Amino acid sequence: MFLNKIKDFFTKNRIKKRLSDVKPIENGSTIKTIGIVFDESYFYEKEALLNELVNKGIAPENIRFFVFKNKVKKNEIFDYPIVTHKDINWNGTFDNIALNHFINTKFDLLISYYDTEKAALLLITHLSKANFKVGFSNVDNRLNHLMITTNAENHKVFLYELFKYLKILNKL
């Protein structure tokens, strides 16, 4: 536990130093593929979020999730990929092959669905090759291209605002 706090501290410092090389938005592309990173310690409604996106016109096969969990029980089985503190090494990189594939996938939109700064989540968002990144306003504003002011429990408000601004930006 104590070592995880130290690792988080050093990882956050590395991320903040790397944030000066954030790339600007690529224009002209519409949203077809979506990657979602969220913290399951604060938000459990993965299916509700998926259903809302499908209702907005996104095909379910074009939506990929990656979930952060603080602790994983020994015999716990998941139907989606997860990342924990153990997947980050001391160099600020990931040892999880599925996560590295997720990061290197060029999504049209990455939704960073977390409103507390955790080193693993910040690192995933920063390293992602997504064209357009959206997140909450109380997370470091250099990570995302669009920030929405609400909390993680209000996924309907978040998605309403997201799609409102995506229409304004001609991304849909």
Side-chain angles (χ1 to χ4, degrees), residues 2 8 37 45 65 68 80 88 96-97 124 140 154-157 162:
F2 179 71
D8 281 352
V37 179
E45 300 179 32
F65 283 93
F68 174 80
Y80 46 85
I88 302 176
N96 188 325
I97 295 169
I124 293 168
D140 194 334
N154 295 333
H155 69 277
K156 290 184 180 185
V157 172
L162 171 63

Side-chain angles (χ1 to χ4, degrees), residues 90-132:
W90 286 91
N91 296 329
T93 58
F94 292 102
D95 297 328
N96 188 325
I97 295 169
L99 180 58
N100 285 326
H101 178 67
F102 181 84
I103 288 171
N104 291 320
T105 302
K106 196 158 178 126
F107 293 110
D108 296 323
L109 174 67
L110 177 73
I111 299 175
S112 302
Y113 204 85
Y114 55 88
D115 56 0
T116 57
E117 290 187 359
K118 293 186 179 176
L121 296 167
L122 295 172
L123 192 58
I124 293 168
T125 301
H126 177 65
L127 294 176
S128 174
K129 305 287 189 260
N131 292 334
F132 191 70

Side-chain angles (χ1 to χ4, degrees), residues 40-77:
E40 196 173 70
S41 57
Y42 295 107
F43 183 73
Y44 302 102
E45 300 179 32
K46 174 184 163 290
E47 294 300 322
L49 185 64
L50 177 65
N51 290 337
E52 288 287 327
L53 288 169
V54 169
N55 289 341
K56 297 287 187 180
I58 306 296
E61 59 271 5
N62 291 339
I63 302 170
R64 296 210 24 227
F65 283 93
F66 222 98
V67 179
F68 174 80
K69 285 190 67 93
N70 283 326
K71 293 185 181 191
V72 178
K73 295 176 184 164
K74 190 172 187 174
N75 295 326
E76 200 170 4
I77 298 173

Side-chain angles (χ1 to χ4, degrees), residues 153-170:
E153 291 81 24
N154 295 333
H155 69 277
K156 290 184 180 185
V157 172
F158 180 86
L159 289 177
Y160 172 78
E161 292 293 321
L162 171 63
F163 279 91
K164 180 174 84 172
Y165 286 108
L166 289 176
K167 285 179 186 174
I168 291 171
L169 295 170
N170 291 324

